[in-house]
Amino acid sequence: MEERLLGGGVNEVTRAGATVRRPAGPWTPAVHALLAHVAEAGFTGAPRAYGLDERGREVLGFIPGEVAHYPLPAHAWTDAALTGVARLLRAYHDATLTFRPPEGAAWYFPPREPAEVICHGDIAPYNCVFRDGRPVAFIDFDTAHPGPRLRDVAAAAYRFAPLTAVGNGEPVRPVAEQARRLRLLADAYGLAEDDRAALPGAVREHLDGMVAFMHARAEAGDAAFARHIAEGHDRLYRTDSAHVARHAALLRDALCADSPGSGTR
């Protein structure tokens, strides 16, 4: 018996006992090699990979806990959850430093320079498992790809600060509070000084990139992304990108004022 899991905005995901079954893609061998590597490196905040099933779906270990979906539960908005996500992301990134992709590895997103780490590619509450209100793991590594740390930190900042003018069904926090939480995330991650200054711009690049990718996939006939556009996701991201641009100076001031400047390389 299989149980369909909540979420899966692009893919149908089911649970079968202690495993999760998801559609495989050209990127699956590289992702499974990555998951095996980070597990061997001691990182416990990602699912184990167990190859493919008889239907050609990837088989992953099920991680007990609750995934946060919008509108988010109260525990996902706490400062402790925010800093926990940042530390979990830092630990994941550090575990990828010695990973060498298989020869001819294919990735869902193309590699980006500088390829400092293997980015998760979609750090968000709906890809984070919580237990007792604490983030313990990331899931859905389909979008993993080599890239700069800042790429994932920007995605986490957008979703968890959150840097939004509209929100996803939850009350919108004042900009000063968004800036305070952005600083908390950067400090908990240990973001370097130059990356702090670049973070607001990286958030905008992340949002603008999501809009471009969404439209490209919809134009290629992908029904899931066409549905996202019909639901107004692209308008939300454009509005939030403009919001970050409007308040970039305030956000940079919060990030860089008397920052510890701890390096990430």
Side-chain angles (χ1 to χ4, degrees), residues 209-219 222 225-226 228-229 232-234 237:
M210 286 200 297
V211 171
F213 181 77
M214 188 184 305
H215 278 269
R217 293 303 307 151
E219 290 166 10
D222 192 311
F225 285 100
H228 291 172
I229 292 172
H233 294 202
D234 57 338
Y237 297 148

Side-chain angles (χ1 to χ4, degrees), residues 75-96:
H75 65 75
W77 289 122
T78 65
D79 285 357
L82 175 72
T83 56
V85 165
R87 293 186 184 108
L88 189 66
L89 181 58
R90 177 61 186 264
Y92 162 68
H93 281 166
D94 288 352
T96 72

Side-chain angles (χ1 to χ4, degrees), residues 144-157:
H145 62 283
R149 293 174 183 265
L150 195 59
R151 191 166 169 82
D152 267 351
V153 176

Side-chain angles (χ1 to χ4, degrees), residues 150 153-154 157 182 185-186 191 194-204 255:
L150 195 59
V153 176
L182 182 63
L185 183 145
L191 198 62
D194 55 347
D195 283 340
R196 287 170 185 262
L199 183 52
V203 173
R204 291 200 67 207
L255 284 162

Side-chain angles (χ1 to χ4, degrees), residues 146-172:
R149 293 174 183 265
L150 195 59
R151 191 166 169 82
D152 267 351
V153 176
Y158 172 62
R159 291 291 184 178
F160 286 94
L163 300 179
T164 179
V166 182
N168 283 280
E170 70 281 347
V172 176

Side-chain angles (χ1 to χ4, degrees), residues 102-151:
E103 179 133 6
W107 301 102
Y108 187 90
F109 290 138
R112 296 284 297 271
E113 294 296 335
E116 301 169 328
V117 297
I118 307 298
C119 295
H120 174 281
D122 192 12
I123 297 294
Y126 50 76
N127 284 330
C128 186
V129 179
F130 291 81
R131 279 201 294 271
D132 299 323
R134 182 173 66 90
V136 296
F138 297 126
I139 58 172
D140 193 356
F141 280 76
D142 276 5
T143 52
H145 62 283
R149 293 174 183 265
L150 195 59
R151 191 166 169 82

